[in-house]
Amino acid sequence: MITRRNFLKAGAAVAALSVVPNGFASILAKKEKAIGVQLYSVRDDLKTDFDGTMKALVDIGYKRMEAAGYRDGKFYGKSPAEMKKYLADLGARMVGSHTGSGLLAEGDTKGWDFWKKNAADTAEVGCKWIVQAGYPSKDIKSLSDVKRLADQFNKCGEIAKANGLRFAFHNHVDEFHELEGKIPFDVMIENTDKGLVTFQIDTAQLVYGGFKCHDYVNRYPGRFANWHLKDANADGKGSTEMGAGIVDFKSLFAVAEKAGLEDYFIEQERYNMTPLQAMKHDYDFLMNASYVKW
């Protein structure tokens, strides 16, 4: 039933969407919080009971999945088409996939063949994002190498775009260690095309790198369309349940529009309970957080 109250609410929502970026507006338009999960969070459970674990995640409320890896043209042993149907039957979808390579040498056609095949398969499974899962620190000896990596990411972004995907880089800690007086993470951001490359904030890893997540958003607005929400143990040893650590999620969500946020995923690697209990805790944490509006 259309009431005056509902009509005014709808009008306010439309007005709000008209003044924010398209990606952020699409999230605001959702009726439910679009909480995703990085499947690495339940990696051991998936090995022992894949079907039961996936169903349990969906039952918690997770409908948006991010794969923890891609191997031999398959996702968790399933072809892209098989995995897409499998998730659809559960009422879920694969939104993103973690993958990656080291710093490719000049003329390394095999490395680029990997990226092209990977992107095609990631698109076929129904993903929006293809994500370089980490910084190849063993390959990086100088700022020149960092700039070469940025160029590589730009090309990965072109390959992703050709397949209808978005390319992102997922940070860890090493890229926040100074190299020749510069922060490699900054150099990568400043030397990549914002139309081709976004940066998936790993909140705990960024904090362990010595920075605050919202400060990076303010420094580089529009470059963080994808987030990994992970709380950091105060002892500096890995992740913990959301709300039990030192990550300032409220301040990060306060600059979500400035970040260009489009998608976010919960990830947890260490637990004070079972992994599935932790996933339920983290889901409820975000559902109950008044500052999370989408």
Side-chain angles (χ1 to χ4, degrees):
M1 176 184 296
I2 298 177
T3 65
R4 181 177 182 277
R5 183 178 181 184
N6 290 337
F7 179 82
L8 291 174
K9 282 185 177 180
V14 171
L17 293 179
S18 69
V19 296
V20 297
N22 289 338
F24 191 73
S26 67
I27 291 181
L28 289 176
K30 297 179 185 298
K31 294 181 179 179
E32 299 179 356
K33 294 183 181 181
I35 304 172
V37 61
Q38 163 54 246
L39 293 176
Y40 188 74
S41 304
V42 290
R43 56 199 177 279
D44 293 332
D45 290 349
L46 289 173
K47 291 176 183 177
T48 58
D49 183 4
F50 185 87
D51 292 340
T53 302
M54 293 296 284
K55 185 178 184 304
L57 289 172
V58 172
D59 288 345
I60 288 170
Y62 293 109
K63 306 297 191 298
R64 301 164 63 78
M65 312 290 189
E66 185 182 53
Y70 163 86
R71 181 176 297 176
D72 299 327
K74 294 184 177 182
F75 300 89
Y76 299 97
K78 300 180 187 295
S79 72
E82 289 170 341
M83 178 57 79
K84 185 175 183 178
K85 182 180 185 305
Y86 177 85
L87 290 175
D89 289 344
L90 286 176
R93 62 168 291 206
M94 196 75 78
V95 179
S97 175
H98 271 203
T99 184
S101 67
L103 179 61
L104 301 181
E106 296 290 339
D108 183 354
T109 57
K110 186 176 181 180
W112 289 116
D113 287 344
F114 161 80
W115 276 106
K116 291 172 185 177
K117 173 73 164 91
N118 191 339
D121 289 340
T122 301
E124 186 180 353
V125 81
C127 284
K128 172 183 177 181
W129 296 99
I130 184 169
V131 183
Q132 167 88 18
Y135 183 66
S137 55
K138 65 181 179 60
D139 300 332
I140 306 296
K141 310 301 181 186
S142 66
L143 280 184
S144 177
D145 291 337
V146 178
K147 291 177 180 177
R148 282 183 54 219
L149 184 63
D151 289 340
Q152 180 173 312
F153 287 169
N154 283 329
K155 187 167 182 178
C156 288
E158 290 174 352
I159 293 170
K161 187 175 182 179
N163 285 274
L165 299 168
R166 302 278 302 283
F167 174 80
F169 168 74
H170 174 276
N171 68 271
H172 285 90
V173 172
D174 288 351
E175 55 268 44
F176 294 99
H177 298 159
E178 277 197 13
L179 183 63
E180 298 176 21
K182 299 284 187 180
I183 301 295
F185 192 65
D186 295 1
V187 175
M188 286 188 288
I189 295 175
E190 292 165 5
N191 287 273
T192 47
D193 183 338
K194 65 180 180 181
L196 296 173
V197 180
T198 196
F199 289 80
Q200 183 183 64
I201 294 177
D202 182 307
T203 55
Q205 298 282 357
L206 196 153
V207 168
Y208 284 148
F211 299 92
K212 295 180 180 178
C213 301
H214 57 280
D215 285 347
Y216 252 97
V217 170
N218 287 322
R219 188 184 307 179
Y220 297 107
R223 297 308 305 271
F224 303 101
N226 192 326
W227 298 352
H228 257 203
L229 300 178
K230 180 192 297 180
D231 214 342
N233 275 312
D235 63 5
K237 297 179 180 179
S239 56
T240 187
E241 286 74 42
M242 294 186 73
I246 59 176
V247 173
D248 186 353
F249 293 109
K250 185 174 182 179
S251 292
L252 177 58
F253 273 94
V255 293
E257 179 181 346
K258 193 170 187 178
L261 178 63
E262 296 180 25
D263 292 286
Y264 59 88
F265 304 88
I266 288 172
E267 182 182 35
Q268 190 173 333
E269 297 164 331
R270 293 180 63 192
Y271 323 90
N272 297 303
M273 53 191 75
T274 71
L276 281 172
Q277 287 172 340
M279 290 303 95
K280 177 67 165 63
H281 169 96
D282 294 347
Y283 183 88
D284 290 344
F285 176 88
L286 286 182
M287 287 295 292
N288 294 324
S290 60
Y291 53 82
V292 180
K293 305 296 184 183
W294 54 93

